[in-house]
Amino acid sequence: MKIELNGNTLELMTGDITQQETDVIVNAANGTLMGGGGVDGAIHRAAGKDLLKECKQVREKQLNGEKLPTGKAVLTRGHNLPASYVIHTVGPVWNERVNNQEEQLADCYRNALKIASGEEASSIAFPSISTGVYSFPIELAAETAIKTIADFLSDHHFGHVTIVLFSDNDYEAYAAALKSFTND
Ligand code: ADP
């Protein structure tokens, strides 16, 4: 499924984000930037050991040894990936007692898009941030991702945004959110 917005495109597909030949792919990292399971592990495996080395440098130099806070994003090269760059962002861990967690999730998408624009990238692929181990409800995550990306595209000439879903169920949730967005 694909829509056009202000001369940009927003597309949903199923697949493996590590195979995407976009300028940038986004990693749903954890604050340590030292790799992990899920999409983070897959990206580090496909990019090779130099990605971890660069992440260590980012921690030391850009973050003064601190963890990357939730909602923030940092840039590295793509190393052995087809993508030139990886933007690492930390999604919120779902907690039903916390209000407005979708704002933190929206920050992930917004900050990644801002960094990508600054690098003059014109294509970016996102995974479904926070809906794996971090347990964010898929419908709310899909609605938040689509609204945030669409808001950004309606204000910027960026190019092409793809959301790469890892299962048919996830794809259906994002497709439903995109349909209700376009019908509004
Ligand atoms: P989080 O910790 O942010 O929840 P996860 O990596 O656990 O991150 O999951 C985020 C989403 O990424 C999940 O929907 C998961 O199925 C998906 N995923 C895992 N591997 C890949 C991959 N290679 N390409 C695209 N999506 C992936």
Side-chain angles (χ1 to χ4, degrees):
M1 187 175 179
K2 188 173 180 173
I3 64 163
E4 205 190 305
L5 270 166
N6 187 30
N8 306 290
T9 52
L10 169 56
E11 184 173 7
L12 307 180
M13 61 174 284
T14 51
D16 178 352
I17 199 164
T18 66
Q19 311 277 309
Q20 296 303 304
E21 296 182 357
T22 43
D23 295 336
V24 179
I25 65 168
V26 175
N27 183 14
N30 61 63
T32 69
L33 299 182
M34 295 299 110
V39 72
D40 195 6
I43 289 173
H44 275 271
R45 274 194 300 280
K49 288 201 178 93
D50 287 344
L51 178 61
L52 187 59
K53 273 193 202 155
E54 194 182 352
C55 285
K56 285 183 177 155
Q57 288 170 358
V58 169
R59 275 286 302 272
E60 282 164 28
K61 293 184 184 148
Q62 240 173 288
L63 302 171
N64 299 315
E66 302 291 324
K67 288 185 184 172
L68 182 65
T70 303
K72 298 278 193 269
V74 292
L75 179 86
T76 65
R77 302 209 152 266
H79 300 280
N80 294 339
L81 291 164
S84 306
Y85 297 104
V86 180
I87 293 176
H88 307 259
T89 187
V90 182
V93 179
W94 177 252
N95 177 346
E96 60 190 2
R97 284 164 299 178
V98 176
N99 288 331
N100 293 328
Q101 278 202 298
E102 53 274 33
E103 248 327 289
Q104 291 184 314
L105 185 61
D107 280 342
C108 292
Y109 286 95
R110 260 194 303 264
N111 287 326
L113 287 164
K114 273 188 213 157
I115 292 175
S117 295
E119 295 302 314
E120 294 184 2
S122 62
S123 57
I124 188 168
F126 284 97
S128 176
I129 300 167
S130 282
T131 64
V133 174
Y134 285 1
S135 301
F136 212 96
I138 189 83
E139 290 80 13
L140 184 58
E143 189 189 304
T144 304
I146 283 171
K147 188 176 180 310
T148 308
I149 294 167
D151 277 353
F152 183 89
L153 294 180
S154 61
D155 276 351
H156 296 81
H157 290 292
F158 178 77
H160 191 63
V161 179
T162 312
I163 307 176
V164 182
L165 288 324
F166 209 48
S167 72
D168 291 340
N169 268 355
D170 288 354
Y171 181 91
E172 289 311 322
Y174 278 73
L178 186 55
K179 274 184 204 128
S180 80
F181 173 83
T182 50
N183 292 335
D184 273 350

